[in-house]
Amino acid sequence: MRKMIIASTSTVYKSSYLKYLKPTLSFFFKDITSILFIPYARPSGISYRKYTTIVKIFFGEINVAVRGIHEFKNPTDAIKNAEAIFVGGGNTFELVNQLYKNDLLSILKEVIDAGTPYLGSSAGSNICGVNIKNTNDMPIVYPPSFTTLGCFSFNINAHYLDPIEGSTHMGETRETRIKEFHVFNDTPVLGLREGSWLEVIDSTIILKGNHTARLFLQNQIPIELKSDSELTIF
Amino acid sequence: MRKMIIASTSTVYKSSYLKYLKPTLSFFFKDITSILFIPYARPSGISYRKYTTIVKIFFGEINVAVRGIHEFKNPTDAIKNAEAIFVGGGNTFELVNQLYKNDLLSILKEVIDAGTPYLGSSAGSNICGVNIKNTNDMPIVYPPSFTTLGCFSFNINAHYLDPIEGSTHMGETRETRIKEFHVFNDTPVLGLREGSWLEVIDSTIILKGNHTARLFLQNQIPIELKSDSELTIF
């Protein structure tokens, strides 16, 4: 039975790392003693070691031990044997690049489907979708493919941002970009605002957090989903 | 002798399409009667025909005829025979995808080097750099490569945006993203603000427009370049 938490962001404004998710994660990981952390996304390019230290500090507070995947000789075995898995945010392209380089996507999918609890934030949530074509990140590396886990049949747009009123900047809004995506693709896209997350229990997907989420379907007017509502069509 | 205008954007705030560049383009294209327009980037997914119509209206005002590359049977010959070329903005990934699909990058580089006047805006400017790893666009399609024309030895970050003061959004600033790029790459990046452009005359590259531009070199503090200054190190 699948058990996943798919968070838009690790950190909300004026808060500390994962703090807003602490009650949720305390419950989610209540039977877990250790998690495997995948730091490949390297936010701001920090090292695997530094990134893992940040994660260790947070999980120490809820009595869960953390080991980084880079600490294992065989990353495939590390995933196979993990009690739970957390894939952190950062650069989605570099994350996917490393997952391909280490040939880890299929084993990751396998253990998730078999019930290993999975936590993703930002880039770590993007890879749960069909592909990474809705990431906001800069394509700083060229991965072998954009195709990812496909844990559900839609894509995540993490850190979803509403148009900024009064902005003089002419770059596209997030909504414009997603609509552009739908000229070329028919995969639904869920715009997940910072502070929102999905709880996936087997085939049930529920929106959590204080915000609505914006669902984009090809050739349809976007829909605002309420918190606690179920994403029934996927 | 190379003659290029590399613009950050086609449109500045509260103005119409290419209007801020009109005096510059009137002079740049003064001996030109027709240009070849490459609409592959399809901003907001608009059709080649619609996009070309917008461009025709603008260039009509300065007495330059426009034909879209899609109107030609053989796009390679269209580029070879063009009096001048304009590659418009939109989605950089789709632009590069189509340029690869139609095998046009090498011929485009060839005619630019041979002196065919070239105008790029946004995505059309990005492709003049070494690769598109500093685009802000959403990766809505997967191109065969990120490598592009390499008309100079740096990359362009179009629509360069300074951090928004007081923002509560936790997504990365542009500067953070470019610094992240420099963890993995050593190509210099020029952050070109909206309303700025580069004038390239052979090997001389001059910053134009009302703004400074922000130059990022690996492991160095970013430099603000003044308008009318020459980019001497490239």
Side-chain angles (χ1 to χ4, degrees), chain A residues 99-135:
Chain A
L99 288 174
Y100 271 101
K101 207 172 152 182
N102 292 288
D103 194 18
L104 296 176
L105 278 160
S106 54
I107 183 69
L108 197 51
K109 180 70 164 46
E110 207 174 284
V111 301
I112 290 170
D113 286 345
T116 303
Y118 178 94
L119 168 65
S121 80
S122 194
S125 295
N126 286 338
I127 61 163
C128 297
V130 177
N131 55 51
I132 60 162
K133 290 183 181 172
N134 297 102
T135 176

Side-chain angles (χ1 to χ4, degrees), chain B residues 118-133:
Chain B
Y118 178 94
L119 167 65
S121 80
S122 195
S125 295
N126 286 338
I127 61 164
C128 297
V130 176
N131 55 51
I132 59 161
K133 290 183 180 173

Side-chain angles (χ1 to χ4, degrees), chain A residues 4-9 20-21 24 152 154 156-157 160 190-201 203-215 223-232 234:
Chain A
M4 308 173 77
I5 301 273
I6 310 291
S8 174
T9 184
Y20 79 101
L21 272 176
T24 304
F152 24 75
F154 55 94
I156 298 283
N157 178 254
Y160 183 78
L190 184 68
L192 210 52
R193 294 181 175 86
E194 293 179 345
S196 289
W197 67 94
L198 299 179
E199 268 183 23
V200 182
I201 305 294
S203 60
T204 306
I205 306 173
I206 295 171
L207 175 67
K208 292 288 183 180
N210 294 327
H211 308 289
T212 57
R214 198 159 176 82
L215 179 65
I223 303 157
E224 283 293 326
L225 299 176
K226 281 185 183 154
S227 185
D228 287 323
S229 64
E230 193 182 331
L231 279 83
T232 44
F234 311 103

Side-chain angles (χ1 to χ4, degrees), chain A residues 44 136 142-144 177 180 194, chain B residues 44 136 142-144 170 177 180:
Chain A
S44 303
N136 313 306
Y142 182 71
R177 288 165 193 268
E180 204 173 83
E194 293 179 345
Chain B
S44 303
N136 314 306
Y142 182 71
M170 302 299 285
R177 288 165 192 268
E180 204 174 84

